Every structure is written in C-alpha cells, then in structure tokens.
Amino acid sequence: MSTPLNSAIDWQGDTLWLLDQRALPVDTHWLECTHVDQVNEAIQTMVVRGAPAIGIAAAYGVVLSAIAHRAASTIDPIIDDCARLAQSRPTAVNLQWAIDRMLGVLKKHSAPLPAIDALVHEAETIHREDIENNLALAEHGAAFLAQQEPTPFAVMTHCNTGALATGGHGTALGIIQTAWSQGVIDHVVVNETRPWMQGARLTAWELQQAGISMALQTEGAAGLTFSSGKTRWLIVGADRIAANGDVANKIGTYTLAIAARHHGMRVMVAAPISTFDLSIPDGSHIPIETRSEDELFYQGSTRIAPDGIRAFNPAFDITPHTLIDALVTEQGVIEAPCREKIENHVKV
C-alpha cells in the first residue's frame, strides 16, 4: 500500500483498503476488503471509525455488494446487504446517509451489473466531497476562533476527529490543524478517550505527525485543566445532530461540556451537513450504541476488572444544544444553535 498514513480509506480496482485503527500507533496495518461482509465487520469492530469515515466505507461496501451479486437478475440482494450495513453502528447518521445515496443510484438500475460503474462513481464522489467539506469547515472554524479570543491560545479535544475519522483532513481536528497553521492555536490538550483510547492512540499520533504542540491527559483531568483558564475552547466532532442542535458524540463529551461551561470555557462542535438529522427533534430520540462489556474489562489482552461483575459501556452521550456555543459546518458557523438557526443553515 502506498496510501499516505493520514488517509484511512483507499479504493483500488475492486478492493477497499482500510487502515486498521485498532493497531495504531504501534502498527500501520491495512485490511483488504473484497466483500461487503468484511466491510460490515470492519465497521462493527472499529477497524474504521468516525462518522464520516464509516459512511464512506459503507458506500464502498455497497459497491462490493454489487460486484458480488453482478450475475443476479435483480438488485434485491444488494438492498438486503444495505440493510445489514445500516445496522452495523446505529448512532452515526452518516452511515445511513451514505447508504441512502448509494441506494438512490442503485434503484435507477434493474440489475447489479449495469449499476456497478455508477455506484463506484457515487462512492468516490462521497469520499471526495467529504475531503472538500472538511477543508471548507476547517477554514470557517479557524476564522471564527481567530475572531473570538486574543491569539494564540490552547484548546482541548476529545476522541479522534482527524483524517483517520473522515475522508481526509478532519472535522474538529481539521479546524485545530488549520488554526495551528494560521497561528490561532498554540497548544492542544488531548483527552485519552476511554475505553478505546482514540485520543491517546489516534489524535495524539495525528498531531505528532503534524508537528503540533500537544499534551495527553485523562478526561478526568479536564476540570482541573479548565480551572487554570489556559484552555479557551473545547472542540469536538459529532456522530449525529438533532434538529434542535443536541449533539451525539463520543461518551464523555457531555461531562466535558458541563465542566467547560462552569469554568467559562466555550464549546465548538464540528461536523458536515450530512451529520444533521432533522427527522429527530432532540437528543432524547437519538439511538445510543452500547458496546461489549469486555472493552471495559480488558486493556489489550489483560483483564483489569474482577470476574463476575457487569459493566455499562455506552459509546456516545448527548450534549444539549444549550451547552454548545458554535456548530461549524462546511457552510459556515451557527452560533448558539437552535432549531430555527439549524433549519435555515441546512437549507442554504
């Protein structure tokens, strides 16, 4: 594989290559996917993760389904595969959004074979558009930050929202990298993001590759960090945004937003328009994925918890829109987000 390490997804011929994010930063191992079931498993097991990246991978998964069923007389087998893909991770709305786009193309054809070229084109378009949207989003976010505070200043981020979680460049981390290059940000505090440690393993690695000043901490240290007044913004991504601006993001985001508000820090959420779900009125209607207890019981292959206990392992929580100061998309910035502002923004 010759793909740069800041890209987690690569389509070559009839094969999807995914950078196995479970192995980073120790190993850069690429997973070869030639069948839709492999893509489904890769999404479920977090080989690929991050809402935009999941959607892109699923789009290529639909292509692999069409290739597998090219001799079928109808598109029904591909539609069945799409339904299974859509259930692989239920919180990230980008997954269903991408599959719906692929289904729109598929349903213009009566059989898989004539649909393949059109599906490849649509998947590659979804991938390319995500990169373009991230770059635009990053410029909007960096410009907004520059207007808000005496620069430069430090920010905090949670989970991983860089090129690894998207088609390229990133959402929240894309803003941070662009703002760093413009001299707006001078330091990044990175939360470990338990239990999968996406902050420690992925965000710290991406920032290191970019030469950006950063320090790693547990999310439990966030209150102390905020209390110092040196960190001015919490900047995070999103997996789904409800019509009123409530945000589903990696577990721990809600707690961080509360601590930020208490200490006078501000909260920015970065996500493409495809992350908005206007069919859901507020965050209470967003499905929250609950993952395996073993993710809490083990660090690697070593068990760290007693036998015979139970665990609660939600992958996401909901941050109310009242705790969010700015939502940033490829179309601009929504300050103090609410239903009316979001509706107007998404329609632009």
Side-chain angles (χ1 to χ4, degrees):
M1 290 294 299
S2 60
T3 304
L5 293 180
N6 65 350
S7 175
I9 304 170
D10 190 47
W11 177 258
Q12 294 187 6
D14 292 344
T15 301
L16 175 64
W17 293 90
L18 298 173
L19 180 60
D20 190 345
Q21 298 186 42
R22 303 168 302 181
L24 289 171
V26 176
D27 184 31
T28 51
H29 168 70
W30 288 85
L31 180 70
E32 180 183 13
C33 298
T34 57
H35 194 276
V36 62
D37 289 345
Q38 294 172 304
V39 179
N40 196 17
E41 183 179 2
I43 294 172
Q44 289 179 330
T45 59
M46 296 178 71
V47 168
V48 59
R49 33 129 325 267
I54 289 170
I56 295 165
Y60 287 120
V62 178
V63 175
L64 292 176
S65 175
I67 292 171
H69 297 294
R70 69 174 76 202
S73 59
T74 74
I75 61 173
D76 290 348
I78 310 173
I79 293 174
D80 291 341
D81 284 341
C82 287
R84 285 190 290 274
L85 269 175
Q87 295 303 312
S88 56
R89 296 201 67 192
T91 301
V93 73
N94 305 67
L95 176 63
Q96 186 65 62
W97 171 85
I99 291 172
D100 287 344
R101 278 187 58 166
M102 298 299 286
L103 283 171
V105 172
L106 178 66
K107 290 176 180 178
K108 295 178 182 178
H109 301 81
S110 59
L113 186 58
I116 291 174
D117 287 344
L119 289 172
V120 170
H121 180 267
E122 187 69 7
E124 291 178 334
T125 299
I126 290 171
H127 194 169
R128 184 185 68 254
E129 287 176 352
D130 187 66
I131 298 171
E132 294 170 351
N133 289 340
N134 289 342
L135 291 169
L137 180 156
E139 290 292 340
H140 289 307
F144 181 78
L145 289 172
Q147 298 168 0
Q148 304 303 307
E149 309 275 352
T151 61
F153 53 85
V155 300
M156 182 185 295
T157 194
H158 190 60
C159 197
N160 174 257
T161 56
L164 293 170
T166 64
H169 194 64
T171 54
L173 204 60
I175 290 174
I176 289 170
Q177 292 194 65
T178 297
W180 165 271
S181 70
Q182 297 174 356
V184 176
I185 289 172
D186 61 2
H187 185 69
V188 185
V189 177
V190 178
N191 291 331
E192 283 182 319
T193 320
R194 301 187 179 198
W196 267 82
M197 303 293 185
Q198 296 100 319
R201 294 187 302 103
L202 306 179
T203 297
W205 182 74
E206 286 196 73
L207 291 174
Q208 182 186 55
Q209 299 298 306
I212 295 175
S213 171
M214 54 81 57
L216 183 66
Q217 68 174 21
T218 66
E219 41 261 52
L224 180 63
T225 299
F226 284 139
S227 70
S228 72
K230 295 179 181 178
T231 302
R232 301 305 306 160
W233 283 81
L234 170 68
I235 307 178
V236 299
D239 285 77
R240 189 179 302 217
I241 302 174
N244 71 337
D246 292 349
V247 168
N249 194 49
K250 183 56 57 187
I251 190 71
T253 303
Y254 180 26
T255 305
L256 293 170
I258 292 171
R261 178 59 57 90
H262 176 76
H263 290 288
M265 307 298 102
R266 290 193 279 176
V267 177
M268 173 180 284
V269 174
I273 293 294
S274 59
T275 305
F276 288 80
D277 186 353
L278 300 189
S279 72
I280 291 181
D282 56 57
S284 67
H285 293 78
I286 297 177
I288 299 298
E289 175 189 4
T290 301
R291 295 184 60 82
S292 168
E293 294 178 328
D294 284 347
E295 293 177 1
L296 299 184
F297 293 158
Y298 289 86
Q299 285 189 351
S301 60
T302 302
R303 188 176 178 99
I304 60 171
D307 289 329
I309 66 168
R310 299 302 306 272
F312 176 50
N313 185 23
F316 305 95
D317 58 22
I318 307 297
T319 300
H321 68 281
T322 52
L323 293 176
I324 298 168
D325 296 281
L327 279 174
V328 185
T329 78
E330 66 270 28
Q331 295 179 176
V333 180
I334 310 170
E335 293 188 67
C338 63
R339 191 181 311 274
E340 182 180 3
K341 290 182 181 179
I342 288 172
E343 288 178 353
N344 290 334
H345 184 87
V346 172
K347 290 176 182 177
V348 172

